[in-house]
Amino acid sequence: MRVLGIDPGLRFLGWGVIEAEGSRLRHVANGVCLSGDGELAMRLLTLHTALTDVFHRYQPETVAIEKTFVNKDAVGTLKLGQARGVALLVPAQFGLEIGEYSPNSVKKTVVGVGHADKRQVEHMVKMQLPGAEIAGSDAADALAIAICHAHHMTGPGMRMRA
């Protein structure tokens, strides 16, 4: 099963693709979609175009995305929500179901504790995907989301738990 994990962000949208065969995981690719500067609408379009290209190149069979948490900066939260909307739209355009996981759920699955820091997440992703060259912390988070999703997929109907 080819799994794409997405770590939504307006400036940096991380993505990671793995192959899951039972409990065995294999790294396929990872990267970061950059929105650049300028008007919000153009930045969102840039993310949409880049993420659509990832779908065309890697043909995921299932997708997982990190749930958004609300922080103290309302404007920042709103912009993140809009980038997350793009990250939800693209898989929907390809007819794929989307698993959604809280940051703590991803960390607990990958690291073993729900409040791990970014370095711990990246270290454990590298341990679970030996030889993977990771394109930064956003890509590492996306791979962690894909790993989490692979661990939560069950049965032939692929019911997902969050």
Side-chain angles (χ1 to χ4, degrees):
M1 178 70 47
R2 186 162 280 198
V3 182
L4 171 68
I6 301 172
D7 180 34
L10 179 59
R11 186 168 298 278
F12 309 106
L13 186 147
W15 60 271
V17 181
I18 63 171
E19 289 279 347
E21 194 173 314
S23 62
R24 291 195 334 246
L25 303 175
R26 183 179 67 81
H27 175 261
V28 175
N30 69 87
V32 177
C33 301
L34 306 173
S35 67
D37 295 319
E39 291 184 34
L40 178 61
M42 292 309 296
R43 293 175 71 191
L44 294 172
L45 177 60
T46 299
L47 290 177
H48 181 274
T49 302
L51 192 55
T52 298
D53 181 57
V54 170
F55 273 77
H56 283 298
R57 276 190 286 155
Y58 298 105
Q59 311 254 321
E61 297 168 79
T62 186
V63 178
I65 186 170
E66 190 171 75
K67 289 182 181 176
T68 302
F69 62 91
V70 178
N71 60 34
K72 294 176 184 174
D73 176 13
V75 173
T77 300
L78 181 58
K79 287 180 180 179
L80 174 60
Q82 291 169 324
R84 190 171 183 277
V86 169
L88 289 166
L89 174 65
V90 175
Q93 288 178 313
F94 284 82
L96 297 177
E97 290 186 26
I98 303 161
E100 297 183 64
Y101 300 93
S102 70
N104 284 351
S105 178
V106 172
K107 291 173 184 178
K108 187 165 185 164
T109 301
V110 175
V111 179
V113 291
H115 295 286
D117 66 30
K118 284 194 171 283
R119 288 187 322 265
Q120 290 172 301
V121 171
E122 188 166 348
H123 175 75
M124 289 307 294
V125 166
K126 287 179 179 178
M127 294 292 292
Q128 293 183 48
L129 302 172
E133 293 290 328
I134 300 176
S137 63
D138 297 295
D141 288 349
L143 286 167
I145 294 161
I147 291 168
C148 178
H149 191 52
H151 284 290
H152 285 87
M153 292 187 308
T154 60
M158 285 185 39
R159 300 258 178 228
M160 291 162 273
R161 298 179 285 146

